[in-house]
Amino acid sequence: MTEQRGNWTSSAGFVLAATGSAIGLGNLWKFPFITWENNGGAFVLVYLVCIAAVGLPIMMAELLIGRKTQKSAVGALREAVGPGWGLVGGWGVLCGFILLSYYTVIAGWSLFYFTRTIGWTTSGFPTDLPMGDLFGQQVSNAPLQLVMSLGFSVATVSVVYFGVQKGIERIARLFLPILFGILVLMLVSALGMSGSGEALTFIFRPSFSELEPAGILEALGHSFFTLSLGMGAMITYGSYIDRNQSIVKASAMIVVLDTLIALVATVIMFSVIFSVAGMAEQVGGSTVGMLFISLPELFYTEVPFGTLLGPLFYVLVALAALTSTMSLLEVVTSYVIDEHGVDRHKATVLCGGAVFVFTIFAALSFSGVPFLSTLAVFEGKTGWFETADHFVSNWMLPTGGLAITIAAGWFMTREATEGELADRTAPGWFRYDLWRFFIRYVSPIAVAAIVVAVFFFGVDFS
Ligand code: PHE
């Protein structure tokens, strides 16, 4: 390596960057929807247990592998666990590559709705344009999809280009407080709506008779996605952590913040939905339905200060997505820097460009392009975009996560992991043996259950 490896400037800088990676479309787009599908309460409780019992220990495992070796995913696993384990890192890099390629497309939709809502706020909401039609038109408009996803890819490359401190950390420090601020404003407005009581009951009152077993696995699968685990993003971010920061404390903060934001986003969305007669029945259809079909209209018809909050909400989605896409690109880029000795600037542009080729495929998945719109590998999933999403969420993240827990629990020595977690920086409440128990037994068994469910029973989380 020619240049000195970057480091976060402070513990807060790192926590914000990692939280930025974790908070993303998973929190604003997927979580509210799967909570809806799984009838709220009991699902939310199971999700919280999964986050604490599986997500948190694996978060610590990934960060410690990164910090111990000061290397990106491939090199880190190879050095910390053994030569063959570089393959698991490679699987993670590939996963980051694919995930980034279609995540950018959804992020592009938020840009579209941002420009639309700005227009509606200034010149009035179009009462004669059904929002479902608008969504269909934008998603099938190939040039529009390409321009928006290109815009988002360029933004991502521009951040990662400047490196860990001047790019990623700086943007996270700037954007995350804005993101929190917008969410608080929206929460205040939502809690004032007539449906907020019903929303809170739906989300927080568990009724176990309404939870299906598949819902439990879905909660578990989502805890990987939302915490950016299973593909080396946290290994990579961990490789820039200083020796005198506590991985345990940082992991706890990232996990708590990510969970809090997912819950707040859900309270906001459901308060709006329950405030409108008949809305609860309409929303059911799809993930995109909630975010890009139901909400835009409700901002202009129901939500207090909605004309202001509408555009702000889509800014929020875009910012949350950007702090995630930069971590995805960093996984791929840092691999090329560390393993192939390419300098950061060249590596970023190269990787960003290569990913964008696949973004084109995802962006054109809804335009009736042969193959891209018709590809059918997995049952019920049509087109490149849905296939990629299904493959990443169902196959790549759980298998990667399983390998990482086994690596940290069974292939790394006790001394190696204890030295990173239970050092003098560890908080008083931390019990290393408890972590070791979870990472050796609880996490692998839980994650193996997902893998078995997907491989053998065709359960679907995407
Ligand atoms: N955690 C992100 C989200 O919730 C997605 C992501 C997964 C980002 C893996 C980076 C790595 O949207």
Side-chain angles (χ1 to χ4, degrees):
M1 232 179 8
T2 45
E3 44 194 317
Q4 210 201 331
R5 194 176 173 80
N7 256 332
W8 308 109
T9 58
S10 68
S11 178
F14 158 64
V15 170
L16 282 177
T19 305
S21 168
I23 298 173
L25 298 169
N27 303 61
L28 306 173
W29 181 59
K30 268 191 177 169
F31 182 70
F33 179 68
I34 55 178
T35 300
W36 184 263
E37 264 188 335
N38 289 289
N39 304 313
F43 174 80
V44 172
L45 200 65
V46 169
Y47 171 77
L48 294 179
V49 171
C50 294
I51 289 280
V54 182
L56 182 61
I58 300 181
M59 173 70 74
M60 292 183 199
E62 287 206 20
L63 292 177
L64 84 83
I65 292 174
R67 181 173 71 180
K68 186 167 183 51
T69 56
Q70 305 276 299
K71 294 215 164 73
S72 56
V74 174
L77 282 160
R78 192 193 292 135
E79 188 176 310
V81 201
W85 289 83
L87 278 177
V88 174
W91 183 242
V93 172
L94 183 68
C95 179
F97 191 103
I98 304 177
L99 178 48
L100 178 57
S101 74
Y102 70 86
Y103 201 94
T104 311
V105 175
I106 314 171
W109 297 343
S110 65
L111 296 182
F112 172 79
Y113 279 92
F114 172 64
T115 57
R116 273 305 144 107
T117 44
I118 286 280
W120 295 335
T121 294
T122 49
S123 35
F125 184 72
T127 43
D128 53 349
L129 176 64
M131 286 295 117
D133 293 2
L134 178 69
F135 183 77
Q137 285 162 16
Q138 72 98 18
V139 87
S140 58
N141 181 335
L144 179 70
Q145 289 299 314
L146 288 177
V147 168
M148 289 182 315
S149 52
L150 178 64
F152 213 88
S153 303
V154 170
T156 308
V157 168
S158 318
V159 178
V160 174
Y161 186 87
F162 290 105
V164 177
Q165 278 183 15
K166 296 208 181 85
I168 297 174
E169 183 176 336
R170 184 188 284 175
I171 290 297
R173 277 177 182 274
L174 182 69
F175 283 2
L176 278 206
I178 302 180
L179 192 147
F180 294 148
I182 299 179
L183 268 175
V184 170
L185 283 181
M186 299 200 65
L187 183 65
V188 170
S189 165
L191 287 179
M193 296 184 72
S194 60
S196 58
E198 207 181 327
L200 290 172
T201 313
F202 182 86
I203 300 167
F204 295 111
R205 186 191 290 156
S207 145
F208 281 92
S209 58
E210 291 183 56
L211 183 68
E212 314 257 329
I216 301 176
L217 290 175
E218 188 158 20
L220 199 53
H222 184 68
S223 61
F224 271 88
F225 185 88
T226 192
L227 294 175
S228 307
L229 298 174
M231 42 82 61
M234 290 300 165
I235 296 183
T236 308
Y237 271 19
S239 72
Y240 308 125
I241 307 180
D242 217 68
R243 279 259 120 233
N244 49 32
Q245 290 178 29
S246 163
I247 287 179
V248 176
K249 259 190 245 163
S251 306
M253 281 183 74
I254 299 163
V255 167
V256 167
L257 283 172
D258 182 75
T259 308
L260 205 64
I261 299 296
L263 290 174
V264 167
T266 312
V267 169
I268 294 172
M269 282 182 212
F270 290 3
S271 299
V272 176
I273 290 166
F274 281 120
S275 296
V276 186
M279 201 41 152
E281 287 73 45
Q282 277 180 44
V283 162
S286 66
T287 336
V288 289
M290 209 178 265
L291 209 52
F292 297 114
I293 299 175
S294 310
L295 275 181
E297 178 166 356
L298 298 176
F299 278 125
Y300 291 88
T301 52
E302 305 293 337
V303 180
F305 305 104
T307 48
L308 195 74
L309 292 177
L312 273 181
F313 177 73
Y314 292 101
V315 170
L316 166 85
V317 179
L319 297 185
L322 184 65
T323 50
S324 295
T325 52
M326 54 202 209
S327 72
L328 289 165
L329 184 58
E330 180 64 17
V331 171
V332 184
T333 303
S334 64
Y335 157 72
V336 172
I337 297 174
D338 285 358
E339 300 295 315
H340 300 283
V342 180
D343 81 57
R344 172 166 288 270
H345 293 169
K346 215 189 271 165
T348 313
V349 175
L350 238 135
C351 296
V355 171
F356 188 70
V357 173
F358 292 86
T359 300
I360 297 178
F361 296 167
L364 299 183
S365 292
F366 308 96
S367 312
V369 179
F371 182 70
L372 296 180
S373 307
T374 51
L375 180 73
V377 181
F378 302 110
E379 205 187 304
K381 306 284 153 193
T382 337
W384 182 278
F385 179 100
E386 286 186 10
T387 306
D389 183 29
H390 181 89
F391 186 58
V392 166
S393 316
N394 290 275
W395 296 69
M396 298 197 87
L397 294 180
T399 46
L402 182 60
I404 291 170
T405 39
I406 293 177
W410 295 92
F411 285 83
M412 288 178 76
T413 62
R414 185 185 176 95
E415 293 67 49
T417 50
E418 194 168 15
E420 293 293 324
L421 295 180
D423 55 3
R424 63 188 164 75
T425 63
W429 51 263
F430 179 65
R431 295 286 167 272
Y432 173 79
D433 286 317
L434 195 63
W435 174 82
R436 193 159 159 86
F437 174 74
F438 273 84
I439 207 77
R440 279 167 79 89
Y441 301 103
V442 181
S443 315
I445 292 172
V447 185
I450 308 186
V451 175
V452 168
V454 170
F455 283 21
F456 300 106
F457 299 103
V459 173
D460 179 14
F461 306 119
S462 55

